[in-house]
Amino acid sequence: MPRPNFTAVEEFIFEGFSIFGWQPRLILFVVFLVLYLLTLASNAIILTVICLNHQLHTPMYFFLSVLSISETCYTVAIIPRMLSSLLSPQHAISIPDCATQLFFYLTFGVNNCFLLTAMGYDRYVAICNPLRYSVIMGKKTCIQLAGGSWSIGLSTAIIQVSSVFSLPFCGANVISHFFCDIRPLMKLACADITIKELVTLLISLCVLVLPMVLIFISYVLIVSTILKMASAEGRKKAFATCASHLTVVIVHYGCTSFIYLKPKSQNSLKDRLISVTYTVITPLLNPVVYSLRNKEVKDALLRALGRKSFS
């Protein structure tokens, strides 16, 4: 129950980067705005290239296109509000708007985790079982894996948002973050959150550790198969097809695991700076890494621009 003599909170204020002065905040605003626009543009280019080029209508690029859509929605849910709070630090957000932002953040964030897992499975089948690849990774299987990722993201969001916003909020209303996230919100609750924290930890283990374990197993089997290849050129090509995915996985899971699986921290500014990595930088990293390290995408992009492909 809310503490007596405390008024129920009707809106929140993001602490964000208000600790910095106006000039540093303006610099951050420009940097984050440029990264945001680059993210939207690069994901749009990736989607366009994949749609227009029939050679890229394969399971690997199907998952990449779904990931691009999800990453775009993920950034749209967070960055515009963050940019607004950089210019106007005391700008408030209502409880329904905060719940909506958390819902979409969790839906697309968890969906991204399991899409990366599906992409790892796709690479495993392509390298370890190439003769049956087209049979195993058929259209139906790809749709089921993508649909399963979205379903898990949606279910997680419903459970977590319902859990957090069933808590009473009274007194303090300043969120020690630049968007509505689970832990900063629960810190503001005027009730015992022990059970809620346990539920959050268990869900975090399921949506972070489980995909990481599955991806790790996939790559153990992939590396084992690659090392058995007789051709050096074959080994090089096989490693190249996995490099982009592995790069994104390491950055994505490294940062999110640090935030959600570590013990409680009092250094909220440090957590906010780390959160910038997976909310601002990683969504841009995905299309950049997959386009720069992938010859097929580069060739398709150059053909669309009317230039010769890479040799």
Side-chain angles (χ1 to χ4, degrees), residues 67-79:
L67 182 64
S68 291
I69 294 170
S70 183
E71 289 282 24
T72 301
C73 297
Y74 177 77
T75 55
V76 169
I78 298 170
I79 298 182

Side-chain angles (χ1 to χ4, degrees), residues 177-193:
H177 215 317
F178 55 82
F179 68 95
C180 293
D181 200 3
I182 299 167
R183 280 188 173 180
L185 279 168
M186 289 200 296
K187 287 180 181 178
L188 299 179
C190 44
D192 182 20
I193 60 172

Side-chain angles (χ1 to χ4, degrees), residues 35-91:
L35 291 174
Y36 177 54
L37 295 176
L38 285 173
T39 300
L40 296 180
S42 56
N43 278 304
I45 290 170
I46 287 286
L47 282 169
T48 303
V49 168
I50 292 174
C51 288
L52 295 179
N53 195 298
H54 291 286
Q55 291 180 339
L56 301 182
H57 291 182
T58 63
M60 175 181 172
Y61 295 105
F62 167 76
F63 290 122
L64 179 56
S65 62
V66 176
L67 182 64
S68 291
I69 294 170
S70 183
E71 289 282 24
T72 301
C73 297
Y74 177 77
T75 55
V76 169
I78 298 170
I79 298 182
R81 180 77 67 169
M82 181 184 71
L83 293 173
S84 175
S85 65
L86 282 168
L87 297 179
S88 179
Q90 296 303 311
H91 186 68

Side-chain angles (χ1 to χ4, degrees), residues 79-145:
I79 298 182
R81 180 77 67 169
M82 181 184 71
L83 293 173
S84 175
S85 65
L86 282 168
L87 297 179
S88 179
Q90 296 303 311
H91 186 68
I93 182 172
S94 67
I95 288 182
D97 286 349
C98 187
T100 301
Q101 185 184 53
L102 179 61
F103 175 81
F104 286 115
Y105 163 70
L106 290 172
T107 298
F108 297 119
V110 173
N111 176 52
N112 293 344
C113 290
F114 283 91
L115 279 176
L116 288 171
T117 307
M119 293 170 81
Y121 176 68
D122 172 70
R123 291 300 83 206
Y124 157 73
V125 176
I127 293 171
C128 299
N129 207 342
L131 297 179
R132 299 192 63 229
Y133 177 71
S134 59
V135 177
I136 297 174
M137 297 302 296
K139 184 177 179 180
K140 182 179 179 181
T141 302
C142 291
I143 292 173
Q144 287 175 339
L145 288 171

Side-chain angles (χ1 to χ4, degrees), residues 140-252:
K140 182 179 179 181
T141 302
C142 291
I143 292 173
Q144 287 175 339
L145 288 171
S149 298
W150 284 99
S151 299
I152 295 171
L154 189 62
S155 302
T156 302
I158 292 172
I159 293 170
Q160 285 286 63
V161 171
S162 301
S163 174
V164 171
F165 286 93
S166 65
L167 290 166
F169 296 99
C170 50
N173 71 331
V174 179
I175 301 174
S176 298
H177 215 317
F178 55 82
F179 68 95
C180 293
D181 200 3
I182 299 167
R183 280 188 173 180
L185 279 168
M186 289 200 296
K187 287 180 181 178
L188 299 179
C190 44
D192 182 20
I193 60 172
T194 305
I195 301 298
K196 305 283 187 181
E197 286 183 322
L198 181 59
V199 170
T200 298
L201 178 61
L202 290 175
I203 291 176
S204 297
L205 289 171
C206 290
V207 302
L208 289 174
V209 176
L210 177 60
M212 280 194 290
V213 169
L214 293 175
I215 291 173
F216 176 76
I217 293 171
S218 295
Y219 273 99
V220 167
L221 297 172
I222 287 170
V223 171
S224 175
T225 301
I226 291 174
L227 292 177
K228 293 176 183 176
M229 291 180 178
S231 167
E233 184 64 28
R235 289 197 297 271
K236 182 181 177 181
K237 185 177 179 181
F239 275 121
T241 62
C242 300
S244 301
H245 177 255
L246 196 56
T247 301
V248 172
V249 165
I250 290 171
V251 175
H252 179 84

